[in-house]
Amino acid sequence: MAVTIKTPEEIDHMREAGRLAAEVLEMIGPHVLPGISTGELDRLCHDYIVNVQKVIPAPLNYNGFPKSICTSVNHVICHGIPDDTAILKKGDIINIDITVIKDDYHGDTSKMFLVGDVAPHASKLVRVTQECLYKAIDIVKPGITLGDIGHIIQIHAEANRYSVVREYCGHGIGKIFHEEPQVLHYGQPNTGLTIEEGMTFTIEPMINAGTRHTKLSRRDGWTVTTRDRRLSAQWEHTLAVTSDGCEVLTKRQEEQF
Ligand code: MF3
Ligand code: CO
Ligand code: CO
């Protein structure tokens, strides 16, 4: 399957799915406090998605994933599995990644939360990673390339002496959760696919405080951690390319685009 161009009607559906995913992050924020378990965060999100929004949590049973959201704490890069025995403590940083399916279309977004007071080196990693995402979103318009997106993220991360994870990337999205193209978070200007109006894809940089190297858990087959056990952060939005820029389909109220 090649890269698909969505019709305005399809983008209307994507906008709805994106809004719902963003609203789950807004709902869960006040619950992310010292003492709560990631399993409880999953239950709160699952119940909200299923019973209030009346849509589908895409991760649940996706390639066998056992829960409705991903919760990735500290040195976990992505795909952390919520767990009733994993209790958040002051100083943790956590990514919560939400994907919902509404009328067959996906909305996929994640953000970092600080648990109580966090060390300055940790909050800086979280801030710079968000800046990486925002700088990339800023340049998205027809005519730029996927390499331009990867490059601007890599430059900002490495200017801060961080590293970019290579094994996981953003992705096209629509009726299919992960479709073409792959959106790498590193690369060279003017290389790769040229962006066109009507494309919908995620940008979701994973930035490590130490080396870029990753390790996949042999225990659960999902949890991805930094090899050096140093911190990692990630932020994600789903975008639709417009005639002169892009629309952030998963924008939260706190954000200005
Ligand atoms: N939401 C993740 C992404 O950004 C994918 C999670 S797949 C799961 O692409 F199976 F781990 F849930
Ligand atoms: Co994604
Ligand atoms: Co996601």
Side-chain angles (χ1 to χ4, degrees), residues 168-179:
Y168 304 89
C169 59
H171 49 92
I173 182 167
K175 285 195 180 185
I176 299 172
F177 192 167
H178 297 104
E179 59 181 42

Side-chain angles (χ1 to χ4, degrees), residues 97 99 108-109 169-171 173 177-178 202-204 234 236-238:
D97 193 336
T99 311
D108 186 7
T109 185
C169 59
H171 49 92
I173 182 167
F177 192 167
H178 297 104
T202 73
I203 304 177
E204 49 183 298
Q234 179 178 30
E236 174 176 26
H237 272 308
T238 299

Side-chain angles (χ1 to χ4, degrees), residues 80-96:
I81 302 175
D83 175 354
D84 289 341
T85 71
I87 311 289
L88 296 183
K89 59 183 192 307
K90 182 164 68 68
D92 285 343
I93 61 172
I94 178 176
N95 175 279
I96 300 182

